[in-house]
Each structure stands twice: as structure tokens, then as C-alpha cells.
């Protein structure tokens, strides 16, 4: 009998914790409303994620995209934007991952060391490029067609 009472109390407490730990919006950037710009001085990035949710255990970031995803995977630049959102959302708690919402599907992206390293590499390329030093490129007709450096200093398009 004592064991039954103990298990009942434990189950009630566990169910209470689950519902009490429901996601709460801690940050939202909607059109027409003011949302503060989040900063991370260590990574030297600033930005405004679309949505940051928090429950008792972790934080989730959401980015809404206006386009559609033609593939079964999200676009690389959208993944990097979400990864930057992970870093900015860390001030609210531990970030496990987030969602990219396209018009036709959504993707869950985990906050991994590999994702963060890719973002760190891109930020390093940006710093190097600002100094005027050469950076590694993967030229293609599609990317080079709209590039502003195509006629000025690029050696790949010639």
C-alpha cells in the first residue's frame, strides 16, 4: 500500500513537471513589433532570431523562411543563420537545437560542435575578406553570375 501511494505521488509530480515545463516564448521578432538585437561578444555576432522558446530543461530556436525547400534538406545558409541563432539564444539557457520552417516543410537542426565549427570558419573567412586577403572559394556559374567581384578582382571568372 505504501509503495502504491509513493508511486501515485511520484507520477502526479512527474506529470505536473511535464506540463509546467511547457514551452514559453521568451523572444519573438515579428514584423511591426520591436524586438531587441541580441549580441554575443565572444563570437562577435549580433542578430534577431525569429523565435526563442524555453522550457524547464532547454531552449529551442525557430527561424521562419518565406521560400520553399526544394530538397529534402535545408539550405546551407539557413542552417548557418540558425546556428548563429543558437549562439545568441544561449543567454536564455542550454540550446539543444532549433527548427527551420519553410512554406512546404520544416527541419530540426541539432546544435552540434560541427555546426558551430562551420559557422566559426565562415566568420573567419569574413574577417579575412574584410582585410582584403584572399579567401577560399568554390566558383560556379550560378554563384559567380551575381557576384560583385566578378569583373573587378576575381581570377576565377576570367
Amino acid at each position: 500500500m505504501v509503495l502504491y501511494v509513493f508511486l501515485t505521488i511520484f507520477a502526479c509530480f512527474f506529470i505536473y513537471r511535464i506540463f509546467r515545463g511547457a514551452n514559453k516564448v521568451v523572444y519573438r521578432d515579428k514584423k511591426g513589433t520591436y524586438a531587441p538585437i541580441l549580441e554575443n561578444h565572444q563570437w562577435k555576432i549580433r542578430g534577431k532570431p525569429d523565435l526563442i522558446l524555453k522550457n524547464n530543461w532547454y531552449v529551442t530556436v525557430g527561424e521562419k523562411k518565406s521560400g520553399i525547400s526544394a530538397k529534402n534538406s535545408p539550405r546551407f545558409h539557413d542552417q548557418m543563420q540558425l546556428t548563429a541563432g543558437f549562439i545568441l539564444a544561449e543567454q536564455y539557457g542550454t540550446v539543444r537545437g532549433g527548427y527551420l520552417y519553410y512554406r512546404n516543410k520544416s527541419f530540426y537542426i541539432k546544435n552540434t560542435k560541427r555546426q558551430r565549427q562551420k559557422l566559426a570558419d565562415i566568420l573567419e573567412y569574413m574577417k579575412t575578406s574584410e582585410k582584403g586577403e584572399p579567401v577560399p572559394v568554390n566558383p560556379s556559374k550560378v554563384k559567380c553570375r551575381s557576384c560583385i567581384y566578378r569583373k573587378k578582382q576575381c581570377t576565377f571568372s576570367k
Side-chain angles (χ1 to χ4, degrees):
M1 182 69 174
V2 174
L3 181 63
Y4 177 73
V5 171
F6 176 74
L7 289 175
T8 305
I9 292 172
F10 180 74
C12 290
F13 176 75
F14 187 70
I15 290 171
Y16 170 76
R17 288 288 291 176
I18 288 174
F19 287 112
R20 187 170 175 257
N23 286 332
K24 297 175 188 140
V25 176
V26 293
Y27 182 90
R28 175 177 282 168
D29 182 29
K30 289 191 332 185
K31 289 183 179 176
T33 61
Y34 171 77
I37 295 174
L38 302 177
E39 294 185 49
N40 186 305
H41 298 291
Q42 179 184 358
W43 283 72
K44 297 178 183 171
I45 58 173
R46 300 172 56 174
K48 295 169 71 170
D50 291 338
L51 181 66
I52 299 176
L53 301 170
K54 181 179 174 128
N55 62 22
N56 287 342
W57 300 284
Y58 56 90
V59 175
T60 305
V61 180
E63 282 290 337
K64 187 176 180 185
K65 300 295 166 193
S66 59
I68 62 171
S69 176
K71 301 185 246 175
N72 288 331
S73 62
R75 296 182 182 121
F76 178 73
H77 60 273
D78 293 338
Q79 289 182 43
M80 291 299 103
Q81 181 182 3
L82 186 65
T83 304
F86 296 159
I87 293 166
L88 295 172
E90 285 176 348
Q91 62 190 359
Y92 295 106
T94 303
V95 181
R96 283 193 183 170
Y99 291 92
L100 282 172
Y101 299 105
Y102 292 97
R103 282 191 292 164
N104 59 340
K105 42 180 113 165
S106 63
F107 299 97
Y108 180 76
I109 309 295
K110 290 184 180 178
N111 184 15
T112 62
K113 288 182 182 178
R114 186 175 182 190
Q115 285 285 107
R116 294 166 76 92
Q117 185 57 48
K118 286 179 188 176
L119 181 64
D121 293 342
I122 289 171
L123 292 173
E124 190 61 38
Y125 291 155
M126 290 170 71
K127 288 177 191 172
T128 305
S129 177
E130 284 179 350
K131 293 176 186 174
E133 299 172 10
V135 294
V137 243
N138 295 327
S140 70
K141 286 185 179 182
V142 175
K143 290 180 182 176
C144 291
R145 187 177 342 149
S146 62
C147 181
I148 61 172
Y149 298 109
R150 180 170 52 98
K151 294 180 181 174
K152 296 178 183 176
Q153 30 182 217
C154 183
T155 58
F156 297 109
S157 64
K158 296 177 183 175

